[in-house]
Amino acid sequence: MSKIGKSKPKSSKKLFKDKNIEVILNNDNNSIEFRFKKYISSEGFKKELDQVYDCFFVEGCKKALCDMRKMGAIPPEAQQWIDTTWMPRMIHLGVKTLAFVTPSSASIEYTIDQVREQRAEKEAQAGVKTFFYSTIEAARDCLTSMVLEQEEE
């Protein structure tokens, strides 16, 4: 079994791993998957997302899967940094599809709803599609269906 999820992609490559995060290239759907292993402070969160950005920069992927199930709440300072710095950088790289695997927790769902409302207009203007799922399999299926849609065009 993969440490990223219950099922391992048929073709993947580990890009980065430390005590807080694991990042793989999923060749099955041409995406980068990153999984937070635990709660991280605001500064640690920024450091880890900079590593994720570097992986996207090197690999040139346009789709992301973020597994947030073990992460806990995003510190407010980190969320602001994501909105003002990290996401614009990711969009500049050409990342257009984000699939999030979220924990089933009322407080986390409330935070995600707030973030979704705040970013919806900016992401729509940039042509970014964001999806939220409760399982990694559903998120992978979403990104795989994006591959199939692009092939049909």
Side-chain angles (χ1 to χ4, degrees), residues 73-87:
I74 299 171
E77 312 82 46
Q79 186 58 60
Q80 182 177 0
W81 178 82
I82 290 168
D83 293 341
T84 60
T85 304
W86 191 76
M87 272 306 295

Side-chain angles (χ1 to χ4, degrees), residues 17-139:
K17 180 179 179 180
D18 68 14
K19 65 182 181 177
N20 299 316
I21 194 169
E22 181 176 10
V23 184
I24 68 165
L25 172 64
N26 180 337
N27 289 312
D28 295 351
N29 59 25
N30 194 31
S31 69
I32 290 181
E33 299 182 6
F34 50 107
R35 176 182 68 94
F36 291 93
K37 298 177 183 180
K38 61 182 184 174
Y39 175 80
I40 306 171
S41 70
S42 189
E43 284 306 310
F45 200 83
K46 292 176 187 179
K47 177 183 167 246
E48 299 297 356
L49 285 182
D50 278 337
Q51 288 289 342
V52 171
Y53 172 86
D54 291 346
C55 293
F56 275 89
F57 182 82
V58 169
E59 298 298 331
C61 289
K62 308 299 181 209
K63 295 180 287 182
L65 186 154
C66 176
D67 186 345
M68 302 168 53
R69 292 176 291 178
K70 293 185 179 178
M71 171 174 106
I74 299 171
E77 312 82 46
Q79 186 58 60
Q80 182 177 0
W81 178 82
I82 290 168
D83 293 341
T84 60
T85 304
W86 191 76
M87 272 306 295
R89 288 172 50 207
M90 294 294 284
I91 291 168
H92 183 74
L93 284 180
V95 175
K96 295 290 185 187
T97 307
L98 299 120
F100 293 93
V101 183
T102 58
S104 55
S105 157
S107 62
I108 298 294
E109 286 182 33
Y110 176 74
T111 302
I112 290 168
D113 287 343
Q114 285 184 313
V115 169
R116 195 181 327 187
E117 287 175 22
Q118 292 169 357
R119 294 189 358 205
E121 188 175 328
K122 288 180 192 174
E123 290 180 357
Q125 289 173 349
V128 175
K129 296 177 183 175
T130 305
F131 305 92
F132 295 88
Y133 297 96
S134 59
T135 68
I136 198 159
E137 292 82 8

